[in-house]
Amino acid sequence: MIEVINPAWLALFVDGGRHGYADIGVPPSSALDGYAFRMVNSLNGNPPDTPALEVTGSGFSFTAGLDVWCAVTGAKVVIHVDNDPVEPWATFPVPKGSTVTVKEVKEGFRYYVGFSGTPALERRMGSRTTNVECRFGGFTGRPLLRGDLILFEEVRAGGKSMTPAGAVPPVVPPHILRVVEGPEMGNFTGLSLERFFGDRREEGFTVSPRINRTGIRLDGAPLTFRKGAERSIVSEGILPGTIQVPGDGAPIITLYERTIGGYARVGVVARADRDRLAHLKPRDRVILKRIGVNEAEKLWAEGSRLYDGST
């Protein structure tokens, strides 16, 4: 087992998601950075959907009650095993009795802590990811707390493994997000859309402090509705990455904890850029760039070659 010493701001178990239940209001609750999640399992020699910890904030630490190998991906962090520094995006041994501490988050926002083994977590609706709102999955349906003991179904022999050069995505602002047209883009004035998709660095948005795993609110010049345009829609299913605009004109990027929405949808973040949403933190600059569906599909196909090559 391992014992949690400091859970940082938020630490919870995630996997590839709980899919197929949107019709009854159950969201995927998957890892926000799918690439980093897949990589942490690849490095540890685990099956691709083995649960890992998604952590926000510096100071996360645990003490190992067994010999295990570990890896940390996602945000660029400073890690120590006892007093010795180790590299992120690579595996490192954690001897029984040692303490692992994430001293600092230097770039990005969320990071993934994985082990050479399978945590003993109950599977609910085909997944072991945590749904905090519904209080099931993960570690008893909640984020980790100091003193929690995490047991393992099995621990595999690990070894040294490193991420290939050039395969660690940049996560520093300004974050340029490519966006395809949403169903209600025509509800907004042309001038406000020009500002919304501004290419100049002085334009764009700032990430609001009002963010969580459900969504990211952006601060900046609000979108203006056309005269007579509907400011809300009949609630219907929405995809992760959908940019909704409530009546105040301030856009909200939906993440992985909602299945329906009732605000006008101005756009959808291209799948190739969606993992980057995990690393938007308060006060970061965000620039939105409009692209077509064909370009978005091409970008995803190109990115998938790197993605698939990690497993």
Side-chain angles (χ1 to χ4, degrees):
M1 67 180 181
I2 64 173
E3 179 180 357
V4 178
I5 305 301
N6 184 346
W9 294 345
L10 181 70
L12 43 76
F13 276 104
V14 296
D15 61 19
R18 186 172 285 110
H19 301 287
Y21 300 96
D23 59 327
I24 58 173
V26 178
S29 303
S30 54
L32 295 187
D33 185 340
Y35 177 73
F37 169 73
R38 289 281 294 274
M39 278 299 299
V40 85
N41 278 320
S42 177
L43 289 167
N44 280 311
N46 293 333
D49 206 35
T50 302
L53 284 168
E54 181 180 274
V55 186
T56 307
S58 59
F60 177 77
S61 64
F62 67 87
T63 296
L66 73 172
D67 294 331
V68 68
W69 284 74
C70 184
V72 180
T73 61
K76 184 177 180 181
V77 296
V78 177
I79 319 162
H80 282 196
V81 177
D82 295 326
N83 295 317
D84 299 321
V86 294
E87 290 295 319
W89 291 85
T91 55
F92 51 87
V94 184
K96 181 179 179 179
S98 293
T99 298
V100 175
T101 304
V102 176
K103 297 280 188 178
E104 181 184 0
V105 179
K106 300 180 70 174
E107 296 175 4
F109 196 37
R110 293 177 174 90
Y111 52 95
Y112 296 81
V113 182
F115 310 92
S116 60
T118 304
L121 305 173
E122 182 182 3
R123 191 182 295 273
R124 297 288 295 272
M125 295 178 160
S127 169
R128 288 171 286 192
T129 196
T130 310
N131 185 317
V132 175
E133 189 170 311
C134 297
R135 300 183 182 180
F136 62 72
F139 186 87
T140 68
R142 63 167 173 80
L144 298 184
L145 300 173
R146 178 183 176 87
D148 282 342
L149 301 177
I150 300 168
L151 304 178
F152 286 80
E153 296 174 359
E154 60 174 331
V155 176
R156 291 178 288 279
K160 190 63 178 175
S161 181
M162 301 184 67
T163 303
V168 178
V171 290
V172 294
H175 303 281
I176 299 176
L177 302 177
R178 291 160 291 194
V179 177
V180 298
E181 179 177 341
E184 287 80 45
M185 181 176 283
N187 287 24
F188 304 95
T189 66
L191 181 59
S192 67
L193 287 173
E194 287 180 15
R195 292 196 302 265
F196 185 76
F197 291 112
D199 289 331
R200 296 194 298 270
R201 296 286 171 149
E202 64 270 17
E203 295 180 328
F205 294 88
T206 302
V207 178
S208 166
R210 297 164 62 187
I211 64 172
N212 53 29
R213 281 180 50 88
T214 299
I216 302 168
R217 182 177 286 270
L218 301 178
D219 292 333
L223 279 157
T224 304
F225 286 84
R226 290 183 183 275
K227 186 176 180 180
E230 293 290 336
R231 298 193 175 214
S232 62
I233 61 173
V234 175
S235 293
E236 59 181 74
I238 53 174
L239 296 170
T242 299
I243 305 176
Q244 299 188 95
V245 184
D248 63 4
I252 302 170
I253 306 175
T254 303
L255 297 178
Y256 292 85
E257 300 295 342
R258 282 292 179 270
T259 61
I260 61 172
Y263 296 131
R265 298 157 295 182
V266 66
V268 181
V269 176
R271 182 64 186 88
D273 291 343
R274 207 173 298 163
D275 288 343
R276 195 179 182 96
L277 298 177
H279 302 289
L280 271 61
K281 62 183 183 297
R283 294 183 294 277
D284 276 0
R285 295 289 293 167
V286 176
I287 296 172
L288 304 173
K289 180 181 178 182
R290 184 176 178 179
I291 62 172
V293 172
N294 289 341
E295 184 178 354
E297 291 177 345
K298 180 181 177 182
L299 289 168
W300 177 237
E302 293 172 349
S304 293
R305 286 195 286 272
L306 173 62
Y307 198 104
D308 294 339
S310 70
T311 59

